[in-house]
Amino acid sequence: MSEPTGPRVGIISYCDRLRTNAHVNHELYARAHGYTYIFDIAPVAEPAQHKNFFLKLAKIKKFLPLFDWLFWIDDDAFFTGRKTTLTSFIDAHPDATIIFCASPKDTGLWTWMSSGTMLIRNTELGRKLIDATIATDLAKAREWWDDSVYGYWTGGDQDALVYQMMTNPDFAVEGFYAQLDYTAFNCRPRHFVAGGFEHFILHFTGKDKGRQSLDFAEKWGMSEALTYKKEMANLRGLYPAAIPPRE
């Protein structure tokens, strides 16, 4: 593979344990395009003001300075359309600091933004956005929140990001964010009707993500990492494969 000539892109994910085989899926996608992949399972040294989902922001803050663009992907999301590049979204939105998808609305429960998969640019404003989001007063943000405009209140980093982008004058810059349709990189299992590789990214929601991913793999004849089975056969290392634990 030739050395990439575009921006330095890092793909980052985190969880406090392995729940799925997404880390294998993410690494194979990153290799295909010359991106760097890091699945950082280490504890956060200095916990963010808010725990749980806000720990994602601590990881982003840790790794963002190493890249030109960072793509955050939750450990319950999988690359299922490997030919699509992350740089295609960057090129399409050259002025953006953050690129994200809305959630699907076909079940009635939706969000204006999904922070489970998003691109963040390493600029002064990008780093300031992460710091401001970590410091968000969630009670104040909840008072401001309009469900009819921004959808379901999750009580986490996702809402804090929206609050900062919409209210903080530092980010009142034309083209600061690019909001894409869910079809760009935030599809759900129900959107796959022609095969397991139909869309770019599959994002599971709800409980028992490990079992959900295995059920999807069985349905479409994929490996447990939602890749081609022959790829998994060549990746066995020191330890035998194991079924992800139920949540």
Side-chain angles (χ1 to χ4, degrees), residues 29 78-81 84-86 89 184-185 198-202:
Y29 173 78
F78 294 73
F79 295 101
T80 48
T84 301
T85 65
L86 293 172
F89 300 104
F185 47 77
E198 183 177 2
H199 301 289
F200 176 38
I201 288 180
L202 165 59

Side-chain angles (χ1 to χ4, degrees), residues 49-126:
Q49 175 185 346
H50 316 282
K51 295 184 179 180
N52 300 322
F53 297 115
F54 273 80
L55 297 179
K56 172 194 308 182
L57 298 175
K59 293 297 183 179
I60 292 173
K61 181 175 181 177
K62 175 180 178 180
F63 291 110
L64 183 58
L66 303 180
F67 304 101
D68 297 316
W69 281 89
L70 183 151
F71 185 71
W72 173 271
I73 182 166
D74 284 351
D75 73 318
D76 55 12
F78 294 73
F79 295 101
T80 48
R82 197 175 296 172
K83 291 183 179 180
T84 301
T85 65
L86 293 172
T87 49
S88 66
F89 300 104
I90 295 170
D91 293 342
H93 305 281
D95 298 326
T97 296
I98 181 170
I99 304 171
F100 55 87
C101 290
S103 76
K105 292 186 175 181
D106 51 349
T107 63
L109 188 67
W110 61 276
T111 58
W112 187 83
M113 171 192 190
S114 171
S115 65
T117 52
M118 57 181 174
L119 278 157
I120 302 174
R121 194 174 190 172
N122 179 17
T123 62
E124 181 179 356
L125 274 182

Side-chain angles (χ1 to χ4, degrees), residues 18-243:
L18 287 177
R19 303 190 299 167
T20 70
N21 284 287
H23 58 292
V24 177
N25 174 283
H26 299 169
E27 171 62 19
L28 289 172
Y29 173 78
R31 289 183 192 179
H33 296 288
Y35 306 143
T36 297
Y37 174 59
I38 300 172
F39 179 64
D40 186 5
I41 201 168
V44 175
E46 297 179 3
Q49 175 185 346
H50 316 282
K51 295 184 179 180
N52 300 322
F53 297 115
F54 273 80
L55 297 179
K56 172 194 308 182
L57 298 175
K59 293 297 183 179
I60 292 173
K61 181 175 181 177
K62 175 180 178 180
F63 291 110
L64 183 58
L66 303 180
F67 304 101
D68 297 316
W69 281 89
L70 183 151
F71 185 71
W72 173 271
I73 182 166
D74 284 351
D75 73 318
D76 55 12
F78 294 73
F79 295 101
T80 48
R82 197 175 296 172
K83 291 183 179 180
T84 301
T85 65
L86 293 172
T87 49
S88 66
F89 300 104
I90 295 170
D91 293 342
H93 305 281
D95 298 326
T97 296
I98 181 170
I99 304 171
F100 55 87
C101 290
S103 76
K105 292 186 175 181
D106 51 349
T107 63
L109 188 67
W110 61 276
T111 58
W112 187 83
M113 171 192 190
S114 171
S115 65
T117 52
M118 57 181 174
L119 278 157
I120 302 174
R121 194 174 190 172
N122 179 17
T123 62
E124 181 179 356
L125 274 182
R127 296 186 296 273
K128 184 177 289 187
L129 173 64
I130 299 305
D131 287 338
T133 303
I134 291 173
T136 298
D137 181 338
L138 278 181
K140 184 177 180 180
R142 184 65 181 109
E143 291 180 1
W144 166 87
W145 193 267
D146 185 338
D147 291 13
S148 67
V149 177
Y150 301 110
Y152 177 70
W153 169 265
T154 67
D157 65 293
Q158 187 167 282
D159 312 309
L161 279 164
V162 174
Y163 176 73
Q164 289 297 332
M165 287 189 288
M166 295 297 103
T167 67
N168 193 324
D170 289 339
F171 312 126
V173 179
E174 185 175 358
F176 178 78
Y177 69 84
Q179 181 200 46
L180 310 182
D181 187 72
Y182 76 88
T183 54
F185 47 77
N186 192 31
C187 286
R188 304 290 189 260
R190 62 183 178 275
H191 300 131
F192 288 73
V193 296
F197 300 110
E198 183 177 2
H199 301 289
F200 176 38
I201 288 180
L202 165 59
H203 192 179
F204 292 101
T205 59
K207 297 181 178 181
D208 204 355
K209 309 300 178 65
R211 181 53 54 187
Q212 285 191 59
S213 64
L214 291 175
D215 289 344
F216 187 91
E218 182 177 359
K219 177 179 180 179
W220 296 111
M222 307 165 80
S223 78
E224 57 265 40
L226 304 195
T227 64
Y228 295 104
K229 287 186 175 180
K230 62 182 179 181
E231 288 182 313
M232 286 294 292
N234 294 327
L235 290 174
R236 298 303 182 203
L238 180 62
Y239 304 108
I243 298 291

